[in-house]
Amino acid sequence: MKHEYPPVYRESRAQARRQAETQEYKDSFQLNVECARAIERAIQNHANESTPDTLSSGSAQSVLEKYGFHRVQFVLANSLTSDDAVSCEQDSFRWAWEVLVPRDKCDQKFKVQTDRSLLAQFLQQTYAAYQAQGLFGPEHCGTGDTNYTGKVLVLRPDRLKESCLSAQNQLWYGQSGFGLSPTSSGRAVFATSLGDGEKARWNRTDFIGVLDEQYLPDWAQEKLTELRTPVQQQEEPAQQQDSGPAQGGMEMR
């Protein structure tokens, strides 16, 4: 079972005050600061002595084990600037910038202060470890706004707890709610997990998009077929099995 980590508070300090969540903000902020310093130490300890501009492999592992993917991604997103796009491998840069970090005066305190080239290499190693989890991303979804009714939806990984971070927990079948429509002012999407059958309410923005059918795994196909089969058709076999001809041509119930 994967380790569980304290949740990353993703709202601003001002929003935390309005929502009476100041303590949650402070707890998460402190961990962000600690994570940033841990990244700096990891980079310093893994910088190659013979080639100081090169980071040895495995530099991100200890930080990920202590703080988890969600927080490390959040801190890295806060630490990158538009200028880093030049030195960052493109996919890893896009991955880090998927996270929206609220702009506060205090966010400078959890920026990673290190050589930008080494930071880019740390990011690449982090992204490679993340990719090894086999999660679905934007590259697995169709393009453009669409109606989510009856579609296989891909949940954003950062909406899942770290212990639940898996492809099986990302795929949901959109069933009802105003959020299914891209033009509705409503946000709610009521869906069923293709992994374990759980039913839940999400917001439309919690999903990356609609899964391209070519990426639908075999394990999800059976549950999808069941959900797409009208209720009446699902009940008919059971009814036929329970009923049968009775003596004298009467049916026994």
Side-chain angles (χ1 to χ4, degrees):
M1 181 177 180
K2 293 182 180 179
H3 180 64
E4 192 57 85
Y5 299 90
V8 178
Y9 193 84
R10 300 178 184 275
E11 303 292 344
S12 67
R13 181 171 51 172
Q15 184 68 9
R17 288 199 200 99
R18 287 192 289 269
Q19 297 180 171
E21 295 173 344
T22 303
Q23 191 59 52
E24 288 88 338
Y25 169 85
K26 289 181 177 179
D27 292 343
S28 185
F29 176 81
Q30 182 59 40
L31 287 172
N32 293 342
V33 174
E34 293 175 9
C35 181
R37 303 293 82 82
I39 292 174
E40 292 169 357
R41 290 192 298 272
I43 290 175
Q44 181 180 11
N45 294 337
H46 287 81
N48 196 307
E49 293 183 2
S50 57
T51 53
D53 60 343
T54 303
L55 205 61
S56 60
S57 61
S59 62
Q61 191 59 38
S62 62
V63 182
L64 289 171
E65 288 176 355
K66 186 170 183 178
Y67 295 99
F69 282 106
H70 291 335
R71 192 170 306 279
V72 172
Q73 183 185 23
F74 192 77
V75 171
L76 287 173
N78 184 57
S79 305
L80 295 175
T81 67
S82 57
D83 294 335
D84 291 314
V86 177
S87 59
C88 281
E89 188 272 326
Q90 192 63 29
D91 287 342
S92 62
F93 182 80
R94 284 200 300 264
W95 173 73
W97 274 99
E98 286 176 2
V99 177
L100 178 63
V101 181
R103 291 302 152 203
D104 290 323
K105 292 180 180 179
C106 294
D107 64 15
Q108 293 290 330
K109 294 185 178 181
F110 65 95
K111 285 184 181 293
V112 178
Q113 305 295 335
T114 189
D115 178 85
R116 309 314 290 175
S117 175
L118 293 177
L119 180 61
Q121 293 174 56
F122 184 92
L123 170 58
Q124 290 167 15
Q125 292 187 20
T126 301
Y127 180 65
Y130 176 82
Q131 285 292 91
Q133 305 298 305
L135 301 173
F136 293 106
E139 67 275 17
H140 301 109
C141 299
T143 58
D145 292 337
T146 184
N147 193 298
Y148 284 176
T149 306
K151 303 290 180 59
V152 178
L153 310 178
V154 179
L155 190 68
R156 297 184 183 280
D158 61 9
R159 300 306 194 266
L160 292 168
K161 292 182 178 180
E162 198 90 21
S163 60
C164 299
L165 201 56
S166 69
Q168 284 84 351
N169 292 325
Q170 279 189 279
L171 299 188
W172 293 74
Y173 180 69
Q175 293 176 293
S176 63
F178 289 113
L180 293 172
S181 171
T183 59
S184 173
S185 59
R187 299 181 302 165
V189 171
F190 295 93
T192 298
S193 169
L194 295 185
D196 59 10
E198 176 190 357
K199 297 180 183 295
R201 177 208 183 277
W202 300 97
N203 290 333
R204 185 180 176 90
T205 53
D206 290 328
F207 296 100
I208 299 173
V210 176
L211 183 72
D212 189 318
E213 290 187 2
Q214 66 176 310
Y215 298 115
L216 183 68
D218 293 339
W219 56 261
Q221 184 61 63
E222 182 178 354
K223 186 63 178 179
L224 178 62
T225 301
E226 175 188 328
L227 291 169
R228 284 179 170 172
T229 302
V231 175
Q232 184 177 359
Q233 292 184 23
Q234 294 181 29
E235 292 177 346
E236 282 178 356
Q239 292 176 348
Q240 292 173 0
Q241 183 177 359
D242 291 340
S243 61
Q247 294 180 356
M250 300 291 292
E251 289 187 352
M252 297 179 64
R253 300 291 183 184

